[in-house]
Amino acid sequence: MMKSGLVFVSCFVAGLAATELTLASFDGAEPVRHVFGIGRRVAPLHEWVPSSVMIATPPATRRANPGPILAEQYQIDVDEDGFIRPSVVHATADRTVVFLGGSTTECLYVEPENRFPYLTGRELERRTGLRVNTLNGARSGNDAVHNLHLLMTKVLPRRPDVVVLMNGINDLGHLSRDNGYWARSAAQPLVERSNTTLAAALGELRTALIPHTWLAVRRVGAIVRRMMGTEAEAAELLDPKTLGQWEGDFRSALVSFVQVARAWHIKPVLMTEVLSGAAPFRLRTGDGGYLDPARLGRQSLSVETVVDMHTRFNDVIRSVAAEYGVPLIDLAHLVPADGTTVYDGMHFHDGGSRLVAETISGALVPLIER
């Protein structure tokens, strides 16, 4: 049995070699070359997995914050193009608006019908009488460069009328940690290797089979790294020259976004982000807090310093909007950052999201009607 198997394999290999040589002789051109390598470099789309459903459970500490109590669970239902449902309400729409941003646009802990990207569409229809599709392409952790990539790869083919961008907090976080958008250590790298290795495939299988256990392991690992002091410290965070460089990079990212949208005849709209440094919102990082005094202290920072830097990033948004004649929705000035709108100092709850939808729709009506 073994002998016959070896004969078969030998004949198969010999036949394959003869076929390759025969085809090569007919090509008559430069022979096909293949360089073996482990994985390829790719530019991943930082989006929700298309055609997926996820149940998100807010940490208990977030449900204990000022303002309305969050629900036990929220559902993220994603369509085939990676937009958060409800997405395409009308098969044929008069206007299409796409929202891009990070977790503050994603609205993870908001009921689907109250997420402001969706609700803005319903408000616009009520105010204008037009059929409006509003698509939510936001993803937690995305900065302006991530969203520039999404604009070019998945938004432009849809030829929307308007694209609304809200970024700033994630840009500040990424630039302060990695001192640039393209750092190899970034949690959401712009370039990475594709999963063509056995180790990567096993990693994907592990995450699929035991997602909660693996998340717990990662959290424990993060705690251990903090205790051992192995996490990178931002020693130069308070250097005015460095902060100026971050502001310049953020400005370049915004200008690039605006110019790409306009080159494809899409109206760009910029929005500022709200942020409160009030005491009730100063949660520990492990509890989902952005302004963790202990973590900031290890980086020679204070809550007040970060709030000030965030204000400066909002000023960059205002400056770009004014210089390039881009419509600005200044949420940081129009919406209060307290328990009536946010549950952790920057993420909207259902009531806050409804208020934001009213604010945005009022600003977009002139664009939509034109």
Side-chain angles (χ1 to χ4, degrees):
M1 183 72 175
M2 183 177 293
K3 185 176 180 180
S4 60
L6 289 174
V7 171
F8 173 78
V9 171
S10 299
C11 292
F12 177 78
V13 171
L16 188 60
T19 301
E20 182 69 15
L21 289 172
T22 302
L23 292 175
S25 66
F26 282 109
D27 282 344
E30 187 71 17
V32 177
R33 300 183 185 277
H34 175 71
V35 179
F36 177 76
I38 300 177
R40 297 178 297 111
R41 292 212 308 161
V42 297
L45 286 180
H46 291 281
E47 61 175 359
W48 280 100
V49 177
S51 303
S52 66
V53 177
M54 189 197 79
I55 303 298
T57 303
T61 49
R62 291 197 173 191
R63 295 199 301 273
N65 280 329
I69 298 175
L70 299 184
E72 293 290 332
Q73 292 183 332
Y74 293 88
Q75 180 169 303
I76 290 283
D77 188 2
V78 187
D79 70 16
E80 62 277 6
D81 288 325
F83 293 102
I84 299 172
R85 289 193 173 104
S87 52
V88 180
V89 176
H90 306 285
T92 303
D94 299 310
R95 303 286 188 273
T96 298
V97 180
V98 176
F99 287 85
L100 294 174
S103 57
T104 53
T105 303
E106 175 187 65
C107 296
L108 181 62
Y109 300 140
V110 175
E111 295 296 342
E113 67 276 7
N114 286 329
R115 291 179 180 133
F116 74 78
Y118 165 75
L119 201 55
T120 296
R122 311 291 67 76
E123 280 291 310
L124 287 172
E125 290 184 334
R126 183 180 66 81
R127 297 184 187 211
T128 66
L130 299 169
R131 293 171 299 178
V132 181
N133 281 336
T134 50
L135 307 179
N136 186 353
R139 183 72 168 86
S140 296
N142 278 2
D143 57 39
V145 176
H146 289 129
N147 288 314
L148 174 61
H149 187 206
L150 290 175
L151 172 67
M152 293 189 294
T153 53
K154 65 183 284 181
V155 175
L156 293 184
R158 286 182 169 269
R159 304 281 181 160
D161 300 280
V162 178
V163 59
V164 183
L165 177 70
M166 181 162 68
N167 266 130
I169 290 176
N170 288 335
D171 297 77
L172 174 58
H174 294 170
L175 291 168
S176 63
R177 182 188 60 215
D178 300 313
N179 204 30
Y181 283 110
W182 287 270
R184 291 180 179 270
S185 61
Q188 291 183 285
L190 290 161
V191 179
E192 62 185 26
R193 285 197 175 275
S194 61
N195 294 332
T196 57
T197 65
L198 178 60
L202 291 176
E204 290 291 325
L205 182 62
R206 170 206 60 207
T207 305
L209 293 177
I210 52 170
H212 298 287
T213 303
W214 179 238
L215 179 60
V217 169
R218 291 168 57 193
R219 286 173 174 168
V220 171
I223 293 173
V224 171
R225 288 193 298 274
R226 285 199 297 270
M227 293 176 62
M228 296 178 64
T230 56
E231 286 192 333
E233 301 292 345
E236 56 181 2
L237 272 172
L238 297 180
D239 182 352
K241 183 182 295 186
T242 301
L243 181 55
Q245 176 185 323
W246 299 340
E247 291 175 338
D249 287 351
F250 180 47
R251 176 184 175 82
S252 296
L254 293 179
V255 171
S256 299
F257 188 95
V258 166
Q259 298 289 50
V260 169
R262 284 180 167 173
W264 290 86
H265 311 292
I266 300 170
K267 298 180 179 67
V269 176
L270 298 179
M271 296 201 300
T272 58
E273 284 184 293
V274 305
L275 178 65
S276 172
F281 300 126
R282 300 183 183 190
L283 299 173
R284 294 181 298 117
T285 305
D287 298 326
Y290 177 72
L291 298 175
D292 176 2
R295 177 181 63 83
L296 295 176
R298 291 195 298 272
Q299 299 175 329
S300 301
L301 285 173
S302 66
V303 172
E304 290 73 22
T305 303
V306 173
V307 171
D308 178 67
M309 290 194 298
H310 173 255
T311 300
R312 291 179 61 166
F313 268 51
N314 273 341
D315 286 340
V316 172
I317 297 172
R318 298 180 183 112
S319 173
V320 170
E323 181 176 348
Y324 287 85
V326 176
L328 172 71
I329 304 177
D330 201 346
L331 291 184
H333 284 162
L334 297 172
V335 177
D338 55 31
T340 64
T341 57
V342 294
Y343 57 80
D344 63 352
M346 66 177 182
H347 293 98
F348 300 113
H349 50 58
D350 283 67
S353 184
R354 288 193 293 268
L355 175 61
V356 169
E358 293 177 7
T359 303
I360 295 173
S361 60
L364 290 184
V365 164
L367 288 179
I368 294 300
E369 288 183 332
R370 285 203 299 270

